[in-house]
């Protein structure tokens, strides 16, 4: 029993390092967008296109990811894509002009798409192999990685504003983190039982006959897109909303990101327990409604305190959406996971740019209103998804609770 626990925690920490790495890399270059804007003399619209380029790269990575997952497996693909993300940071620091910056961020989006699929495949395999929920905790480390990147940016800026120094330090840290994580990663993507293996083979044969994704996969992809649009837009636009719309003191502007990030980390720490107790379907439906209605009320009421409370509802509500959808997609096979992950990465990276275009055409209040609507759409999509149910195994005692790996409809 102790050996199983040690293997589980070793793999958990290794996979968590991948999630932390992705959050850290993304937040590192996003936190320096003002410096990139000044260095390349960009407009607001050009910054939006930079963000969009990253999303486009993630979107077009889907066919490549599906092939690489079959040929390399999630462990090798995670290592290669994480290494690419680390190397792209110094390249971004020295881009000579705007077109090259677009190409670099498009390549960054493709690497993000690859790592996103690989690390979530590892997380799903972890739950299947050890029959324990863990995906929400893994996603919590993504948010933690973003917070660490913000702290590093502040620390480096205290000594120098040079992009190359900041991105080089971040790249070294990413490579070191990857080196520590790689030995603990799972060598096999899935460990299903014999019956599940037969079902998977039959499903693969059926998918070969179809040229389009299944209806369930499309609904999963839609839920992922709108969920990540909500998450990404809050990270990129909350500070500006507090400063320009709420008219709070400049020192309070970063509190929007802080509130969302802290609530997401806390919720994801506890969300695996909620998943075991209430089921993934209930968690996604209730959480997305909470996020949408909480943010909408905050926009209507106005003021610093109501706004921060609304942002807290978003962080709490959407925290478990992406972990649950990734687990459901992984049960449909690697191709479904690749498509859903590509759509999710596209929403996360391109969503903030779309919100920016809406805000530019109307106002930031309407832009944030679109974020609230996105959260509500997630709840509607969730009603069309057959959610996997992890039930407690009566034969296991103590902290080492086993969970039966069965794909069944959520009864909620």
């Amino acid at each position: 029993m102790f050996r199983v626990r040690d293997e589980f925690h070793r793999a958990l920490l290794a996979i968590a390092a991948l999630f932390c790495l992705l959050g850290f890399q993304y937040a590192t270059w996003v936190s320096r967008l003002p410096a990139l804007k000044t260095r390349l003399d960009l407009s607001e619209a050009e910054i939006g296109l930079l963000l969009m380029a990253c999303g486009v790269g993630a979107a077009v990575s889907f066919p490549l990811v599906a092939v690489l997952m079959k040929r390399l497996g999630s462990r090798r693909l995670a290592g290669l894509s994480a290494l690419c993300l680390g190397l792209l940071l110094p390249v971004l620091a020295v881009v000579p002009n705007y077109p090259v910056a677009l190409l670099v961020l498009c390549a960054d989006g493709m690497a993000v798409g690859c790592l996103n699929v690989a690390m979530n495949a590892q997380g799903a395999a972890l739950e299947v192999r050890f029959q324990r929920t863990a995906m929400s905790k893994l996603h919590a480390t993504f948010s933690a990685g973003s917070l660490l990147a913000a702290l590093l940016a502040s620390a480096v800026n205290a000594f120098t504003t040079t992009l190359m120094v900041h991105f080089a330090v971040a790249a070294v840290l990413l490579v070191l983190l990857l080196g520590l994580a790689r030995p603990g990663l799972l060598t096999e993507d899935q460990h299903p039982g014999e019956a599940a293996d037969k079902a998977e083979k039959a499903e693969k044969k059926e998918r070969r006959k179809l040229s389009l994704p299944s209806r369930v996969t499309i609904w999963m992809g839609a839920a992922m897109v709108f969920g990540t649009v909500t998450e990404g837009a809050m990270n990129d636009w909350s500070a500006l909303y507090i400063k320009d719309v709420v008219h709070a003191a400049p020192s309070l502007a970063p509190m929007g990101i802080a509130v969302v990030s802290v609530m997401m980390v806390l919720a994801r720490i506890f969300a695996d327990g909620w998943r075991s107790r209430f089921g993934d379907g209930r968690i996604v439906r209730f959480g997305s409604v909470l996020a949408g209605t909480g943010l909408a009320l905050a926009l209507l009421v106005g003021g610093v305190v109501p706004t921060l409370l609304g942002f807290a509802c978003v962080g709490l509500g959407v925290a478990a959406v992406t972990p649950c959808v990734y687990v459901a997609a992984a049960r449909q096979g690697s191709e479904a996971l690749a498509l859903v992950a590509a759509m999710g990465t596209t929403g996360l990276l391109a969503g903030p740019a779309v919100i920016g275009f809406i805000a530019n055409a109307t106002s930031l209040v309407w832009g944030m209103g679109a974020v609230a609507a996105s959260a509500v759409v997630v709840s509607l999509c969730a009603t069309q998804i057959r959610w996997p149910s992890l039930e407690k195994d009566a034969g296991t005692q103590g902290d080492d609770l086993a969970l039966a790996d069965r794909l069944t409809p959520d009864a909620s």
Side-chain angles (χ1 to χ4, degrees), residues 33-317:
L33 279 177
L36 284 170
K37 178 183 178 182
T38 301
R39 180 175 175 273
L40 299 176
D41 191 23
L42 306 179
S43 66
E44 298 291 341
E46 287 173 324
I47 288 293
L49 287 176
L50 274 180
L51 295 170
M52 185 69 75
C54 199
V56 169
V60 301
S61 69
F62 162 61
L64 176 65
V65 174
V67 172
L68 292 178
M69 276 289 290
K70 291 179 180 179
R71 293 187 178 181
L72 301 178
S74 62
R75 185 173 185 266
R76 293 176 63 189
L77 181 58
L80 291 174
S81 54
L83 183 61
C84 289
L85 287 173
L87 296 178
L88 283 171
L89 282 178
V91 175
L92 184 60
V94 296
V95 288
N97 51 51
Y98 183 62
V100 176
L102 288 173
L103 290 175
V104 171
L105 284 180
C106 185
D108 186 272
M110 294 181 69
V112 167
C114 291
L115 179 56
N116 196 27
V117 172
M119 69 185 190
N120 278 286
Q122 284 273 316
L126 180 72
E127 289 197 348
V128 171
R129 178 174 179 176
F130 294 97
Q131 299 184 327
R132 297 177 63 174
T133 52
M135 191 67 88
S136 295
K137 291 185 180 68
L138 293 174
H139 280 260
T141 60
F142 175 88
S143 301
S146 299
L147 289 174
L148 290 175
L151 293 176
L152 177 65
S154 298
V156 172
N157 281 333
F159 295 96
T160 178
T161 58
T162 305
L163 275 178
M164 188 61 192
V165 173
H166 180 192
F167 287 180
V169 170
V172 170
L173 293 177
L174 289 175
V175 173
L176 290 175
L177 187 59
L178 175 61
L180 292 174
R182 196 170 186 279
L185 296 178
L186 299 177
T187 56
E188 298 179 34
D189 291 335
Q190 294 193 31
H191 300 265
E194 184 177 352
D197 193 30
K198 292 180 180 178
E200 183 183 359
K201 290 179 180 178
E203 185 181 357
K204 286 182 178 179
K205 290 181 180 179
E206 182 66 23
R207 283 203 303 271
R208 291 191 190 104
K209 301 177 183 178
L210 302 175
S211 58
L212 296 176
S214 67
R215 182 182 64 86
V216 173
T217 301
I218 293 174
W219 281 113
M220 289 178 184
M224 184 66 77
V225 167
F226 287 103
T228 53
V229 164
T230 304
E231 183 177 341
M234 291 304 298
N235 288 332
D236 287 2
W237 291 103
S238 58
L240 193 61
Y241 180 86
I242 290 177
K243 177 179 177 292
D244 293 348
V245 178
V246 181
H247 302 296
S251 59
L252 291 178
M255 288 299 297
I257 298 176
V259 166
V260 174
S261 298
V262 169
M263 290 303 297
M264 289 191 71
V265 171
L266 291 176
R268 283 173 170 173
I269 289 174
F270 295 102
D272 286 321
W274 301 340
R275 290 174 57 207
S276 298
R277 183 174 181 181
F278 302 111
D280 289 7
R282 281 198 185 101
I283 295 298
V284 173
R285 291 194 295 270
F286 175 79
S288 53
V289 168
L290 173 64
T293 55
L295 180 58
L297 289 174
L299 298 177
L300 291 173
V301 175
V304 175
V305 174
T307 297
L308 292 178
L309 288 175
F311 288 1
C313 288
V314 176
L316 177 62

Side-chain angles (χ1 to χ4, degrees), residues 305-379:
V305 174
T307 297
L308 292 178
L309 288 175
F311 288 1
C313 288
V314 176
L316 177 62
V318 303
V321 169
T322 50
C324 290
V325 177
Y326 276 126
V327 169
R331 302 299 176 87
Q332 299 294 317
S334 61
E335 292 182 359
L337 175 60
L339 176 60
V340 170
M343 295 177 71
T345 306
T346 302
L348 181 66
L349 300 177
V354 173
I355 300 303
F357 296 146
I358 294 174
N360 185 61
T362 55
S363 70
L364 189 53
V365 175
W366 282 104
M368 296 298 282
V371 177
S374 296
V376 175
V377 171
V378 174
S379 182

